Amino acid sequence: MDYREYTYSAGKIPGGFFKREGRPSEREILTSRMIDRPLRPLFPESWRNETQIVAMVLSADSENDPDVIGITGASAAALFPICRSPTPVAAVRVGLVEGKLVANPTVAEQKTSLLNIVVVASEHAIVMVEAGAMEVSEDAGRGRAAIRPRPGQAHHRGDPRVA
């Protein structure tokens, strides 16, 4: 798994002494591992072919973090018949902003968020949970509060906005 955020995706062109992108940053390496971790067990044990999935951020705004959607994109790529991954997975980042759990918080909200949980799940089971937090109440830590979707964001299966 390889994840790269090129500077041109944010509209910046490297100049000066360094004209090209260098080696992956620490954040890109950790994101690659975060994408690889939930996908690897979904391949059959008999899978022996060398497989590489490359998640490249071609365009990004400075408001939303592209790393979590990389998991969903890599899962979609692994569904092709060549890889034979039997189960698609999707990921969501959950933050605790102003006492409310928020799905996919913006970068600004992540800076003030007391909780940072990435949940990767298939239709049938949770595949991976990665969490980090400041001091939060037990109720918030266990997710007893309801996750409130943003206006215009689909939030359940029966919603006609879900394709």
Side-chain angles (χ1 to χ4, degrees), residues 93-109:
R93 181 184 305 275
V94 179
L96 184 64
V97 181
E98 297 174 4
K100 295 180 183 164
L101 292 174
V102 177
N104 295 322
T106 63
V107 173
E109 288 174 333

Side-chain angles (χ1 to χ4, degrees), residues 59-133:
S59 178
D61 59 6
S62 56
E63 222 176 283
N64 299 297
D65 207 355
D67 61 350
V68 173
I69 196 68
I71 297 171
T72 306
S75 171
L79 285 175
F80 281 98
I82 239 172
C83 291
R84 291 183 239 139
S85 175
T87 309
V89 295
V92 65
R93 181 184 305 275
V94 179
L96 184 64
V97 181
E98 297 174 4
K100 295 180 183 164
L101 292 174
V102 177
N104 295 322
T106 63
V107 173
E109 288 174 333
Q110 286 179 36
K111 290 179 182 174
T112 61
S113 177
L114 298 176
L115 189 64
N116 181 14
I117 300 175
V118 176
V119 180
V120 182
S122 68
E123 187 176 7
H124 305 290
I126 293 176
V127 179
M128 180 192 83
V129 176
E130 184 175 286

Side-chain angles (χ1 to χ4, degrees), residues 15 27-28 45 84 88 121 133 136 140 163:
R27 182 180 188 281
E28 290 172 331
E45 284 188 35
R84 291 183 239 139
V136 294

